[in-house]
Amino acid sequence: MKDSEILASETQRLAENYREIIGLLGEDVEREGLKKTPERVAKSMQFLLKGYQEDAEAVLKSAMFCEEEYKQMVIVKDIDFFSLCEHHLLPFFGKVHIAYIPRNYITGLSKIARVVDIFSRRLQVQERLTLQIKECIHKTLNPLGVMVVIEAQHMCMQMRGVEKQHSMATTSDFTGFFQQAKTREEFMNLIKK
């Protein structure tokens, strides 16, 4: 984590840029409702993009337990996430479903949700987010297989552009035992329940 002086300096620099952007868009940055907006937006962006300051592998390793004999699927489903599309800086959000089959190591279930938070709190595209979550779990836990499915709504498609309010994007990625259709099908059936 950054120390408070560096963070305050970055907040101030961001706020100055947002003040200029608001002015360029035709608003009066000095009017009552907007006076503190540049600083609020700067702090908001720092929170929404805090994943750059965190290490997902370290989070998983902090709760890694070894020598477990369990060799079946461990599933954490319906993990809420919020991210910002790197193309338009508009939100996309939804659910992440993750399964892994332990080889020797298991991890605390909350750490899997934390991995989702870390990667989603960066400028993203859904495809990369899916891949990064899968690769982090695969590299850190060395399981027999990992599968990640993400279902998301994208404000860049709903608020602008094609304006399709009920569209949903689904991505998936998998390794190991999940390359077998039967194992993938079992996971998909379990997350639908």
Side-chain angles (χ1 to χ4, degrees):
M1 283 294 179
K2 294 183 179 181
D3 85 9
S4 59
E5 284 183 29
I6 293 172
L7 194 58
S9 171
E10 289 175 356
T11 303
Q12 189 55 44
R13 288 178 57 209
L14 283 167
E16 290 166 9
N17 284 293
Y18 281 116
R19 187 170 286 105
E20 183 178 349
I21 289 168
I22 292 168
L24 288 170
L25 291 171
E27 263 291 357
D28 175 9
V29 216
E30 295 306 317
R31 82 172 165 81
E32 188 61 34
L34 287 175
K35 281 184 182 177
K36 294 184 179 178
T37 297
E39 187 175 341
R40 285 191 295 259
V41 174
K43 288 179 180 177
S44 175
M45 291 301 277
Q46 287 172 312
F47 174 78
L48 294 173
L49 298 173
K50 68 181 182 171
Y52 291 113
Q53 313 307 319
E54 299 174 303
D55 182 344
E57 288 180 30
V59 165
L60 275 182
K61 287 178 184 174
S62 73
M64 220 162 99
F65 309 104
C66 63
E67 301 310 317
E68 290 297 330
E69 294 302 315
Y70 190 77
K71 299 279 190 255
Q72 301 301 315
M73 257 184 250
V74 176
I75 299 173
V76 182
K77 69 178 193 171
D78 296 329
I79 302 168
D80 292 320
F81 82 95
F82 301 89
S83 194
L84 288 175
C85 164
E86 68 181 31
H87 300 141
H88 303 99
L89 295 186
L90 289 172
F92 69 98
F93 58 92
K95 304 273 186 196
V96 180
H97 315 289
I98 300 170
Y100 75 98
I101 301 170
R103 185 183 308 268
N104 294 316
Y105 297 97
I106 61 171
T107 190
L109 298 177
S110 68
K111 303 307 181 195
I112 292 173
R114 286 276 318 276
V115 167
V116 171
D117 284 345
I118 290 168
F119 287 118
S120 65
R121 297 289 185 178
R122 300 175 181 185
L123 295 177
Q124 277 291 8
V125 294
Q126 184 173 333
E127 297 86 346
R128 183 185 322 116
L129 178 60
T130 307
L131 178 67
Q132 287 176 331
I133 293 167
K134 182 214 64 177
E135 286 182 344
C136 178
I137 294 169
H138 179 74
K139 181 179 176 187
T140 308
L141 299 180
N142 189 28
L144 297 170
V146 179
M147 185 160 179
V148 177
V149 172
I150 299 180
E151 301 169 304
Q153 296 180 59
H154 293 251
M155 291 297 100
C156 57
M157 281 184 61
Q158 294 179 355
M159 293 175 67
R160 56 161 302 282
V162 296
E163 296 185 64
K164 300 301 178 200
Q165 275 64 44
H166 303 289
S167 62
M168 180 79 67
T170 302
T171 52
S172 68
D173 201 357
F174 48 85
T175 65
F177 282 15
F178 289 98
Q179 292 175 345
Q180 300 169 17
K182 185 178 177 184
T183 309
R184 284 195 312 278
E185 186 178 327
E186 178 184 351
F187 171 64
M188 295 304 287
N189 287 333
L190 287 168
I191 66 173
K192 287 179 185 175
K193 291 183 181 179

